[in-house]
Protein backbone atom coordinates (compact mmCIF):
# COMPACT_ATOMS: atom_id res chain seq x y z
CA UNK A 1 0.00 0.00 0.00
CA UNK A 2 1.29 3.43 -0.96
CA UNK A 3 0.86 6.03 1.76
CA UNK A 4 2.66 9.34 1.44
CA UNK A 5 4.92 10.53 4.25
CA UNK A 6 6.18 14.04 4.95
CA UNK A 7 9.86 14.45 5.84
CA UNK A 8 10.39 16.70 8.86
CA UNK A 9 13.78 18.48 9.01
CA UNK A 10 15.88 17.37 11.97
CA UNK A 11 16.37 21.04 12.87
CA UNK A 12 12.63 21.32 13.59
CA UNK A 13 12.84 18.59 16.27
CA UNK A 14 16.39 19.23 17.54
CA UNK A 15 16.78 20.37 21.15
CA UNK A 16 19.90 21.91 22.68
CA UNK A 17 18.17 23.01 25.88
CA UNK A 18 16.59 20.03 27.63
CA UNK A 19 13.97 22.38 29.12
CA UNK A 20 12.29 22.30 25.69
CA UNK A 21 11.76 18.52 25.64
CA UNK A 22 8.22 18.47 27.04
CA UNK A 23 6.92 21.32 24.84
CA UNK A 24 8.30 19.52 21.78
CA UNK A 25 6.76 16.19 22.83
CA UNK A 26 3.43 17.92 23.44
CA UNK A 27 3.58 19.51 20.01
CA UNK A 28 5.11 16.76 17.85
CA UNK A 29 5.16 13.60 20.00
CA UNK A 30 8.86 13.36 19.07
CA UNK A 31 12.08 15.29 19.76
CA UNK A 32 15.80 14.82 19.06
CA UNK A 33 18.58 15.43 21.62
CA UNK A 34 22.28 15.26 20.63
CA UNK A 35 24.61 13.85 23.33
CA UNK A 36 27.54 16.18 22.67
CA UNK A 37 29.36 15.39 25.91
CA UNK A 38 30.28 11.96 24.53
CA UNK A 39 33.08 12.42 22.02
CA UNK A 40 33.34 10.51 18.77
CA UNK A 41 36.52 8.85 20.08
CA UNK A 42 34.81 7.68 23.31
CA UNK A 43 31.91 6.28 21.34
CA UNK A 44 34.21 4.44 18.94
CA UNK A 45 36.25 2.92 21.78
CA UNK A 46 33.16 1.39 23.39
CA UNK A 47 31.84 0.22 20.05
CA UNK A 48 35.14 -1.55 19.49
CA UNK A 49 34.78 -3.21 22.91
CA UNK A 50 31.22 -4.43 22.27
CA UNK A 51 30.64 -7.81 20.62
CA UNK A 52 27.30 -7.78 18.85
CA UNK A 53 26.95 -11.54 18.43
CA UNK A 54 28.38 -12.84 21.70
CA UNK A 55 25.06 -14.21 22.95
CA UNK A 56 24.25 -15.86 19.64
CA UNK A 57 27.73 -17.38 19.26
CA UNK A 58 27.54 -18.88 22.74
CA UNK A 59 24.53 -20.85 21.51
CA UNK A 60 25.57 -21.68 17.95
CA UNK A 61 27.82 -24.59 16.94
CA UNK A 62 31.37 -23.75 15.86
CA UNK A 63 30.62 -24.11 12.14
CA UNK A 64 27.73 -21.63 12.40
CA UNK A 65 29.51 -18.87 14.32
CA UNK A 66 28.63 -15.33 13.23
CA UNK A 67 31.48 -13.05 12.19
CA UNK A 68 31.66 -10.00 14.42
CA UNK A 69 31.46 -6.54 12.89
CA UNK A 70 34.65 -4.54 12.50
CA UNK A 71 34.86 -1.01 13.92
CA UNK A 72 34.89 0.29 10.35
CA UNK A 73 31.55 -1.42 9.73
CA UNK A 74 30.09 -0.17 12.99
CA UNK A 75 30.84 3.48 12.23
CA UNK A 76 29.80 3.08 8.58
CA UNK A 77 26.65 0.94 8.84
CA UNK A 78 25.73 1.57 5.22
CA UNK A 79 28.48 -0.90 4.23
CA UNK A 80 27.47 -3.69 6.62
CA UNK A 81 26.68 -6.94 4.87
CA UNK A 82 23.85 -8.69 6.66
CA UNK A 83 24.95 -11.64 8.80
CA UNK A 84 22.99 -14.88 8.98
CA UNK A 85 22.03 -14.23 12.58
CA UNK A 86 18.89 -14.63 14.71
CA UNK A 87 16.43 -11.76 14.15
CA UNK A 88 18.64 -10.41 11.34
CA UNK A 89 15.61 -9.79 9.11
CA UNK A 90 14.59 -7.06 11.54
CA UNK A 91 18.17 -6.12 12.42
CA UNK A 92 17.83 -6.88 16.14
CA UNK A 93 20.98 -7.58 18.17
CA UNK A 94 20.10 -9.50 21.32
CA UNK A 95 23.00 -8.16 23.38
CA UNK A 96 22.30 -6.43 26.68
CA UNK A 97 24.13 -4.44 29.36
CA UNK A 98 27.23 -3.78 27.23
CA UNK A 99 29.92 -1.14 27.73
CA UNK A 100 28.25 1.12 25.13
CA UNK A 101 25.02 0.92 27.16
CA UNK A 102 27.02 1.92 30.23
CA UNK A 103 28.71 4.87 28.49
CA UNK A 104 25.37 6.41 27.54
CA UNK A 105 23.56 5.54 30.75
CA UNK A 106 26.17 7.40 32.80
CA UNK A 107 26.11 10.52 30.59
CA UNK A 108 24.63 13.44 32.55
CA UNK A 109 22.90 14.97 29.55
CA UNK A 110 21.20 11.66 28.84
CA UNK A 111 20.09 11.36 32.47
CA UNK A 112 18.84 14.96 32.56
CA UNK A 113 16.82 14.43 29.38
CA UNK A 114 15.27 11.21 30.65
CA UNK A 115 14.43 12.77 34.02
CA UNK A 116 12.64 15.69 32.32
CA UNK A 117 10.64 13.29 30.19
CA UNK A 118 9.63 11.22 33.22
CA UNK A 119 8.86 14.28 35.35
CA UNK A 120 11.13 13.11 38.15
CA UNK A 121 14.71 12.06 38.72
CA UNK A 122 15.22 8.72 37.00
CA UNK A 123 17.11 6.14 39.01
CA UNK A 124 15.81 2.87 37.57
CA UNK A 125 16.48 1.32 34.17
CA UNK A 126 15.77 -1.99 32.47
CA UNK A 127 18.11 -3.58 29.99
CA UNK A 128 17.19 -3.49 26.33
CA UNK A 129 18.78 -4.49 23.04
CA UNK A 130 20.38 -3.00 19.90
CA UNK A 131 19.46 -2.85 16.23
CA UNK A 132 21.26 -2.60 12.90
CA UNK A 133 19.26 -0.86 10.21
CA UNK A 134 19.21 -1.65 6.51
CA UNK A 135 21.78 -0.32 4.07
CA UNK A 136 19.24 2.04 2.47
CA UNK A 137 16.61 4.20 4.20
CA UNK A 138 13.04 3.04 3.69
CA UNK A 139 9.68 3.06 5.40
CA UNK A 140 7.60 -0.01 6.20
CA UNK A 141 3.97 0.71 6.96
CA UNK A 142 3.31 -2.94 7.85
CA UNK A 143 5.22 -2.36 11.12
CA UNK A 144 2.80 0.37 12.28
CA UNK A 145 1.92 -0.08 15.97
CA UNK A 146 1.74 1.47 19.39
CA UNK A 147 2.89 0.18 22.78
CA UNK A 148 1.54 0.18 26.31
CA UNK A 149 -2.00 1.33 27.16
CA UNK A 150 -2.26 4.38 24.91
CA UNK A 151 -5.59 5.99 25.88
CA UNK A 152 -7.46 7.50 28.81
CA UNK A 153 -10.92 6.13 29.51
CA UNK A 154 -13.49 7.93 27.33
CA UNK A 155 -14.85 11.16 28.82
CA UNK A 156 -18.49 11.56 29.80
CA UNK A 157 -19.07 13.21 26.44
CA UNK A 158 -17.37 10.30 24.65
CA UNK A 159 -14.20 12.28 23.93
CA UNK A 160 -10.92 10.37 23.60
CA UNK A 161 -7.46 11.48 24.68
CA UNK A 162 -4.07 9.82 24.68
CA UNK A 163 -2.98 8.68 28.13
CA UNK A 164 -1.73 11.38 30.50
CA UNK A 165 0.92 8.92 31.74
CA UNK A 166 2.43 7.58 28.51
CA UNK A 167 5.33 5.23 28.24
CA UNK A 168 8.24 7.19 26.82
CA UNK A 169 10.68 5.42 24.55
CA UNK A 170 14.16 6.50 23.63
CA UNK A 171 15.90 5.35 20.47
CA UNK A 172 19.58 6.15 20.59
CA UNK A 173 21.33 6.48 17.27
CA UNK A 174 24.96 5.47 17.70
CA UNK A 175 26.25 5.79 14.15
CA UNK A 176 25.00 6.41 10.63
CA UNK A 177 21.63 7.90 9.64
CA UNK A 178 18.73 7.07 11.98
CA UNK A 179 15.24 7.33 10.53
CA UNK A 180 12.13 7.49 12.69
CA UNK A 181 8.56 7.35 11.35
CA UNK A 182 5.41 8.28 13.24
CA UNK A 183 1.87 9.53 12.67
CA UNK A 184 1.17 13.03 13.98
CA UNK A 185 -2.37 12.89 15.37
CA UNK A 186 -2.15 16.15 17.29
CA UNK A 187 -5.57 17.91 17.21
CA UNK A 188 -7.11 14.95 15.34
CA UNK A 189 -10.24 13.03 16.31
CA UNK A 190 -8.93 10.00 18.24
CA UNK A 191 -12.27 8.18 18.44
CA UNK A 192 -11.64 6.04 15.30
CA UNK A 193 -8.22 4.80 16.44
CA UNK A 194 -9.49 4.23 19.98
CA UNK A 195 -12.30 2.04 18.63
CA UNK A 196 -9.76 0.21 16.44
CA UNK A 197 -7.61 -0.48 19.54
CA UNK A 198 -10.63 -1.76 21.47
CA UNK A 199 -11.53 -4.09 18.58
CA UNK A 200 -7.94 -5.41 18.66
CA UNK A 201 -8.34 -6.39 22.32
CA UNK A 202 -6.70 -3.43 24.12
CA UNK A 203 -3.32 -5.14 23.96
CA UNK A 204 -0.06 -3.66 25.28
CA UNK A 205 1.37 -4.06 21.76
CA UNK A 206 -1.11 -3.45 18.98
CA UNK A 207 -0.50 -3.63 15.24
CA UNK A 208 -2.52 -1.05 13.37
CA UNK A 209 -4.16 -1.67 10.00
CA UNK A 210 -2.53 0.70 7.45
CA UNK A 211 -5.73 0.83 5.38
CA UNK A 212 -7.58 2.05 8.45
CA UNK A 213 -4.93 4.71 9.12
CA UNK A 214 -4.95 5.97 5.55
CA UNK A 215 -8.71 6.31 5.45
CA UNK A 216 -8.97 8.02 8.84
CA UNK A 217 -5.72 9.95 9.19
CA UNK A 218 -4.52 10.80 5.70
CA UNK A 219 -1.51 13.14 5.47
CA UNK A 220 -0.48 12.46 9.10
CA UNK A 221 2.49 10.20 8.34
CA UNK A 222 5.85 11.80 9.22
CA UNK A 223 9.51 10.82 9.25
CA UNK A 224 12.84 12.35 10.26
CA UNK A 225 16.41 11.37 9.30
CA UNK A 226 18.93 12.05 12.07
CA UNK A 227 22.66 12.19 11.25
CA UNK A 228 24.55 10.23 13.95
CA UNK A 229 27.89 10.01 12.15
CA UNK A 230 29.74 12.24 14.66
CA UNK A 231 27.51 12.36 17.71
CA UNK A 232 25.13 9.99 19.44
CA UNK A 233 21.55 11.29 19.26
CA UNK A 234 18.48 10.49 21.35
CA UNK A 235 15.15 10.26 19.56
CA UNK A 236 12.55 10.56 22.31
CA UNK A 237 8.93 9.71 21.59
CA UNK A 238 5.74 8.79 23.35
CA UNK A 239 4.86 5.18 22.75
CA UNK A 240 1.15 5.94 22.61
CA UNK A 241 1.59 7.65 19.24
CA UNK A 242 1.38 5.29 16.26
CA UNK A 243 4.88 4.65 14.96
CA UNK A 244 6.72 2.34 12.59
CA UNK A 245 9.98 0.40 12.57
CA UNK A 246 11.71 2.44 9.89
CA UNK A 247 14.81 1.11 8.17
CA UNK A 248 17.98 3.14 7.73
CA UNK A 249 21.78 2.64 7.75
CA UNK A 250 22.26 3.16 11.48
CA UNK A 251 23.21 1.26 14.62
CA UNK A 252 20.76 2.03 17.38
CA UNK A 253 20.65 1.17 21.05
CA UNK A 254 17.67 1.10 23.40
CA UNK A 255 17.86 2.14 27.07
CA UNK A 256 14.58 2.03 28.98
CA UNK A 257 13.77 3.96 32.17
CA UNK A 258 11.21 2.35 34.46
CA UNK A 259 9.30 3.66 37.46
CA UNK A 260 9.60 0.67 39.79
CA UNK A 261 11.11 -2.80 40.00
CA UNK A 262 8.50 -5.33 38.97
CA UNK A 263 8.35 -7.98 41.68
CA UNK A 264 5.51 -9.98 40.17
CA UNK A 265 6.01 -13.55 39.01
CA UNK A 266 4.95 -14.68 35.55
CA UNK A 267 5.25 -17.93 33.66
CA UNK A 268 8.38 -18.68 31.67
CA UNK A 269 8.64 -20.22 28.20
CA UNK A 270 11.25 -21.96 26.08
CA UNK A 271 12.79 -18.49 25.62
CA UNK A 272 13.94 -18.55 29.24
CA UNK A 273 16.52 -20.63 31.10
CA UNK A 274 15.21 -22.85 33.91
CA UNK A 275 16.93 -20.61 36.48
CA UNK A 276 14.28 -17.94 35.75
CA UNK A 277 11.48 -20.14 37.07
CA UNK A 278 10.17 -18.89 40.43
CA UNK A 279 11.99 -15.56 39.98
CA UNK A 280 10.18 -12.24 39.87
CA UNK A 281 10.51 -10.18 36.69
CA UNK A 282 13.06 -7.95 38.41
CA UNK A 283 15.08 -10.90 39.72
CA UNK A 284 15.20 -12.37 36.23
CA UNK A 285 16.60 -9.06 34.97
CA UNK A 286 19.31 -9.15 37.63
CA UNK A 287 20.33 -12.69 36.79
CA UNK A 288 20.19 -12.09 33.04
CA UNK A 289 22.41 -9.01 33.36
CA UNK A 290 25.18 -11.23 34.73
CA UNK A 291 25.30 -12.89 31.29
CA UNK A 292 24.68 -9.85 29.00
CA UNK A 293 21.15 -11.12 28.66
CA UNK A 294 17.59 -9.98 29.22
CA UNK A 295 15.08 -11.14 31.81
CA UNK A 296 11.68 -12.73 31.24
CA UNK A 297 10.14 -9.64 29.61
CA UNK A 298 11.20 -6.59 27.67
CA UNK A 299 10.32 -3.14 29.08
CA UNK A 300 7.20 -3.17 26.87
CA UNK A 301 5.87 -6.15 28.85
CA UNK A 302 6.25 -8.65 26.00
CA UNK A 303 7.97 -11.97 26.70
CA UNK A 304 11.57 -11.59 25.55
CA UNK A 305 14.13 -13.93 24.04
CA UNK A 306 17.95 -13.86 23.95
CA UNK A 307 18.25 -15.78 20.67
CA UNK A 308 15.24 -16.02 18.34
CA UNK A 309 11.47 -16.06 18.13
CA UNK A 310 9.82 -19.48 18.35
CA UNK A 311 8.78 -19.22 14.69
CA UNK A 312 12.45 -19.54 13.71
CA UNK A 313 13.21 -22.58 15.90
CA UNK A 314 13.00 -25.02 12.99
CA UNK A 315 15.59 -23.02 11.06
CA UNK A 316 18.05 -22.80 13.97
CA UNK A 317 17.51 -26.14 15.72
CA UNK A 318 20.25 -28.03 13.85
CA UNK A 319 22.71 -25.15 14.13
CA UNK A 320 22.89 -24.81 17.90
CA UNK A 321 24.77 -26.71 20.58
CA UNK A 322 23.15 -29.72 22.21
CA UNK A 323 23.01 -27.83 25.52
CA UNK A 324 20.15 -25.76 24.10
CA UNK A 325 18.12 -28.70 22.70
CA UNK A 326 15.27 -30.36 24.57
CA UNK A 327 13.46 -33.55 23.53
CA UNK A 328 9.80 -34.08 24.33
CA UNK A 329 7.63 -36.90 22.99
CA UNK A 330 10.44 -37.79 20.58
CA UNK A 331 10.60 -34.29 19.10
CA UNK A 332 13.50 -31.90 19.49
CA UNK A 333 13.07 -28.20 20.12
CA UNK A 334 15.08 -25.28 21.47
CA UNK A 335 15.12 -24.78 25.23
CA UNK A 336 17.13 -21.79 26.39
CA UNK A 337 19.90 -22.14 28.97
CA UNK A 338 22.31 -19.72 30.58
CA UNK A 339 25.62 -19.74 28.68
CA UNK A 340 28.67 -21.59 29.93
CA UNK A 341 32.28 -20.39 29.76
CA UNK A 342 32.08 -17.35 32.02
CA UNK A 343 35.31 -16.11 33.63
CA UNK A 344 33.75 -14.88 36.87
CA UNK A 345 33.04 -17.64 39.36
CA UNK A 346 30.34 -16.29 41.67
CA UNK A 347 30.39 -19.59 43.62
CA UNK A 348 33.81 -18.81 45.14
CA UNK A 349 33.91 -17.20 48.59
CA UNK A 350 36.30 -14.52 47.31
CA UNK A 351 33.81 -13.37 44.69
CA UNK A 352 30.91 -13.48 47.13
CA UNK A 353 32.93 -11.21 49.42
CA UNK A 354 33.41 -8.71 46.59
CA UNK A 355 29.67 -8.68 45.99
CA UNK A 356 29.00 -8.25 49.70
CA UNK A 357 31.50 -5.39 50.03
CA UNK A 358 29.58 -3.48 47.37
CA UNK A 359 26.16 -4.39 48.83
CA UNK A 360 25.20 -6.22 45.63
CA UNK A 361 22.09 -8.37 46.04
CA UNK A 362 21.35 -11.25 43.66
CA UNK A 363 18.71 -14.01 43.72
CA UNK A 364 19.82 -17.19 45.49
CA UNK A 365 19.73 -19.24 42.29
CA UNK A 366 22.72 -17.24 41.03
CA UNK A 367 24.91 -19.15 43.49
CA UNK A 368 23.63 -22.68 42.90
CA UNK A 369 26.46 -24.93 41.75
CA UNK A 370 24.48 -25.77 38.60
CA UNK A 371 24.30 -22.10 37.60
CA UNK A 372 27.11 -21.25 35.13
CA UNK A 373 29.84 -18.75 35.95
CA UNK A 374 29.04 -15.12 35.22
CA UNK A 375 29.93 -13.70 31.81
CA UNK A 376 29.87 -10.15 33.27
CA UNK A 377 32.02 -9.10 36.22
CA UNK A 378 29.11 -7.65 38.15
CA UNK A 379 31.34 -6.89 41.14
CA UNK A 380 33.37 -4.38 39.10
CA UNK A 381 30.55 -2.40 37.48
CA UNK A 382 30.23 1.33 38.33
CA UNK A 383 27.96 2.22 41.25
CA UNK A 384 25.63 4.18 38.96
CA UNK A 385 24.99 1.12 36.80
CA UNK A 386 24.49 -1.15 39.81
CA UNK A 387 21.95 1.26 41.33
CA UNK A 388 20.23 1.89 38.01
CA UNK A 389 19.46 -1.80 37.61
CA UNK A 390 18.68 -2.66 41.23
CA UNK A 391 21.78 -4.62 42.22
CA UNK A 392 22.30 -2.10 45.04
CA UNK A 393 19.14 -1.09 46.90
Amino acid sequence: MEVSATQIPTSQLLIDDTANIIPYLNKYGVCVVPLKNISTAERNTELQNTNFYQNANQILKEEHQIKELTLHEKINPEIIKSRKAPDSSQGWINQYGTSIHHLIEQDQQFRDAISIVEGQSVSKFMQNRMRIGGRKPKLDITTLHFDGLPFEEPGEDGSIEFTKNPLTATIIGLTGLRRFCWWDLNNKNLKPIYDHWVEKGKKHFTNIDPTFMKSNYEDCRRYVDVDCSNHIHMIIFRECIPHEIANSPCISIFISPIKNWDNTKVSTTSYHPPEYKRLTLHESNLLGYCYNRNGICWPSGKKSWPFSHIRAYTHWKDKIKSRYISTKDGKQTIMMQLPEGGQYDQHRDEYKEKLSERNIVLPDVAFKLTTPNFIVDIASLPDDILRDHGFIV
Side-chain angles (χ1 to χ4, degrees):
M1 168 183 282
E2 290 294 328
V3 179
S4 62
T6 302
Q7 182 173 6
I8 304 299
T10 305
S11 57
Q12 185 173 321
L13 304 174
L14 199 64
I15 292 174
D16 288 319
D17 183 351
T18 53
N20 291 325
I21 289 177
I22 298 301
Y24 272 59
L25 287 177
N26 289 339
K27 185 174 182 179
Y28 302 110
V30 182
C31 67
V32 178
V33 180
L35 299 182
K36 294 184 177 179
N37 294 333
I38 299 175
S39 70
T40 306
E42 286 178 300
R43 178 200 66 181
N44 292 352
T45 296
E46 298 309 331
L47 279 172
Q48 179 71 56
N49 293 336
T50 300
N51 290 326
F52 283 23
Y53 299 109
Q54 177 176 298
N55 278 342
N57 283 334
Q58 287 163 344
I59 297 167
L60 291 165
K61 294 176 180 177
E62 190 64 33
E63 61 269 28
H64 298 292
Q65 294 288 292
I66 304 162
K67 184 180 179 181
E68 286 288 351
L69 299 180
T70 65
L71 179 60
H72 183 63
E73 288 177 299
K74 291 174 183 176
I75 62 178
N76 297 283
E78 70 277 4
I79 69 169
I80 294 175
K81 292 183 179 180
S82 179
R83 269 57 168 176
K84 294 180 179 179
D87 287 345
S88 60
S89 62
Q90 291 291 328
W92 290 114
I93 301 295
N94 294 312
Q95 202 69 34
Y96 302 79
T98 68
S99 60
I100 192 71
H101 286 90
H102 298 164
L103 175 68
I104 297 166
E105 203 171 303
Q106 293 177 95
D107 178 70
Q108 192 58 52
Q109 189 178 12
F110 167 79
R111 299 180 81 90
D112 289 345
I114 289 295
S115 295
I116 288 171
V117 167
E118 296 297 317
Q120 59 185 3
S121 179
V122 172
S123 59
K124 296 179 176 68
F125 290 86
M126 190 170 165
Q127 64 257 49
N128 215 327
R129 52 187 176 169
M130 298 187 285
R131 183 171 181 253
I132 299 175
R135 299 175 74 174
K136 294 182 179 180
K138 65 177 181 178
L139 302 176
D140 183 1
I141 200 168
T142 65
T143 65
L144 181 62
H145 69 282
F146 42 35
D147 300 282
L149 301 174
F151 300 102
E152 293 288 312
E153 288 295 321
E156 292 183 1
D157 60 355
S159 61
I160 302 297
E161 295 181 351
F162 282 126
T163 176
K164 292 180 173 62
N165 296 294
L167 293 172
T168 301
T170 304
I171 297 171
I172 302 170
L174 296 177
T175 62
L177 186 76
R178 186 49 161 99
R179 174 169 289 188
F180 179 71
C181 181
W182 77 104
W183 290 64
D184 184 358
L185 303 187
N186 198 25
N187 298 321
K188 300 295 182 181
N189 177 16
L190 299 180
K191 184 68 164 57
I193 195 169
Y194 173 81
D195 290 343
H196 187 72
W197 177 65
V198 171
E199 290 171 7
K200 290 271 191 171
K202 295 186 176 182
K203 296 177 181 177
H204 280 269
F205 178 91
T206 305
N207 287 311
I208 306 172
D209 182 1
T211 304
F212 160 83
M213 287 298 286
K214 183 178 181 180
S215 62
N216 286 276
Y217 300 104
E218 194 170 7
D219 300 326
C220 290
R221 196 181 187 203
R222 309 280 185 265
Y223 73 95
V224 62
D225 287 334
V226 181
D227 183 0
C228 306
S229 56
N230 292 318
H231 285 290
I232 298 170
H233 285 72
M234 300 170 65
I235 302 174
I236 302 172
F237 65 98
R238 289 178 170 161
E239 294 197 26
C240 59
I241 66 167
H243 54 282
E244 302 173 22
I245 302 174
N247 225 337
S248 59
C250 179
I251 295 177
S252 306
I253 194 167
F254 298 82
I255 298 177
S256 301
I258 57 173
K259 290 180 171 58
N260 294 295
W261 311 127
D262 194 333
N263 292 311
T264 57
K265 293 184 178 181
V266 298
S267 61
T268 57
T269 71
S270 62
Y271 296 152
H272 310 117
E275 288 85 358
Y276 285 8
K277 292 180 180 178
R278 294 180 291 280
L279 294 184
T280 66
L281 290 171
H282 175 54
E283 288 172 333
S284 74
N285 289 332
L286 295 177
L287 186 59
Y289 210 96
C290 300
Y291 301 90
N292 285 131
R293 284 197 182 181
N294 46 334
I296 296 172
C297 292
W298 280 307
S300 65
K302 288 177 62 183
K303 293 285 178 69
S304 65
W305 56 81
F307 185 68
S308 77
H309 191 278
I310 193 171
R311 287 193 299 266
Y313 276 11
T314 300
H315 171 79
W316 291 107
K317 180 170 59 68
D318 294 333
K319 298 176 174 64
I320 68 174
K321 298 171 184 174
S322 59
R323 171 175 173 77
Y324 302 94
I325 294 293
S326 174
T327 301
K328 185 177 181 180
D329 298 329
K331 295 182 179 180
Q332 290 188 332
T333 188
I334 294 176
M335 181 67 210
M336 194 44 55
Q337 304 288 336
L338 291 175
E340 295 180 316
Q343 301 179 47
Y344 307 102
D345 187 355
Q346 73 276 17
H347 311 95
R348 295 171 59 242
D349 289 340
E350 294 87 346
Y351 199 87
K352 290 179 182 178
E353 288 174 10
K354 288 182 180 180
L355 296 172
S356 178
E357 287 169 0
R358 301 199 60 195
N359 299 314
I360 294 172
V361 178
L362 291 166
D364 291 342
V365 70
F367 304 101
K368 287 187 66 174
L369 293 179
T370 53
T371 302
N373 291 352
F374 289 167
I375 299 293
V376 177
D377 187 6
I378 294 295
S380 71
L381 292 182
D383 282 351
D384 285 345
I385 299 300
L386 293 171
R387 291 193 183 94
D388 285 351
H389 292 273
F391 291 98
I392 299 176
V393 292

